[in-house]
Amino acid sequence: YPLRRQRQMCIRDRYYRYDYPHLQFKLDIPPALQDTVCLIDQRAMSRALSNIINNAIRYTNSKIVLRLHSKGSLLCISIDDDGPGIPNDQRKNVFKPFIQLDNATRDKDTEHGLGLAIVKQIAQWHQGHVSISDAQIGGASISFCWPMK
């Protein structure tokens, strides 16, 4: 799946910049990785990225940054937001099915706590992993990494 297609911030035919004009989106793909070809399940990866981006949209204040980077033999996509972040003691729990943080902005009737559990499963299908850390811009950073082939 050519990484250049992601330049328009189009995931599964959603143009986030147009759907959320009040948010600032930044896409960072270093020149050395722009022509990288990934061996992925395109549909599954689109689902995983959509789930992570939708979570970032839900909790961000104003800014979301998507970064592609390599970490040793891994290729990683990190999605950062400037929201409240995820407490350290809750980071492993959010990847469990039906687990949700108690958050006032969450719609308890339509959200079921499956988004990040699905992301974790897709990462494992790709022989990779997903992790949460503090974002440089102030909120949460969710990184999805898989082996380069």
Side-chain angles (χ1 to χ4, degrees), residues 9-25:
M9 292 288 297
C10 173
I11 306 291
R12 299 180 81 198
D13 297 321
R14 284 194 69 179
Y15 290 89
Y16 288 99
R17 289 183 179 156
Y18 299 113
D19 291 345
Y20 301 95
H22 61 286
L23 297 178
Q24 181 183 21
F25 290 92

Side-chain angles (χ1 to χ4, degrees), residues 83-100:
I86 299 173
N88 286 338
D89 61 336
Q90 294 293 314
R91 290 180 180 175
K92 290 192 183 219
N93 291 335
V94 297
F95 293 111
K96 297 176 182 174
F98 306 109
I99 300 294
Q100 299 174 333

Side-chain angles (χ1 to χ4, degrees), residues 9 16 20 22-26 48-66 78-86 103 105 111 115-116 119 135 137 139-143:
M9 292 288 297
Y16 288 99
Y20 301 95
H22 61 286
L23 297 178
Q24 181 183 21
F25 290 92
K26 181 180 178 193
L49 292 178
S50 290
N51 286 356
I52 298 170
I53 292 168
N54 287 332
N55 274 356
I57 287 168
R58 187 175 304 120
Y59 296 108
T60 195
N61 291 318
S62 63
K63 186 175 185 178
I64 296 172
V65 177
L66 281 82
S78 296
I79 294 94
D80 300 357
D81 67 63
D82 66 349
I86 299 173
N103 186 300
T105 64
E111 297 171 20
L116 292 179
V119 169
I137 60 174
S141 177
I142 299 182
S143 293

Side-chain angles (χ1 to χ4, degrees), residues 29 34-35 44 58 117 130 135 145:
I29 301 176
Q34 287 182 4
D35 292 321
R58 187 175 304 120
V130 62
C145 300

Side-chain angles (χ1 to χ4, degrees), residues 22-52:
H22 61 286
L23 297 178
Q24 181 183 21
F25 290 92
K26 181 180 178 193
L27 180 61
D28 182 16
I29 301 176
L33 296 175
Q34 287 182 4
D35 292 321
T36 301
V37 176
C38 302
L39 299 176
I40 59 171
D41 178 323
Q42 181 179 344
R43 190 171 186 181
M45 187 65 78
S46 290
R47 173 77 181 264
L49 292 178
S50 290
N51 286 356
I52 298 170

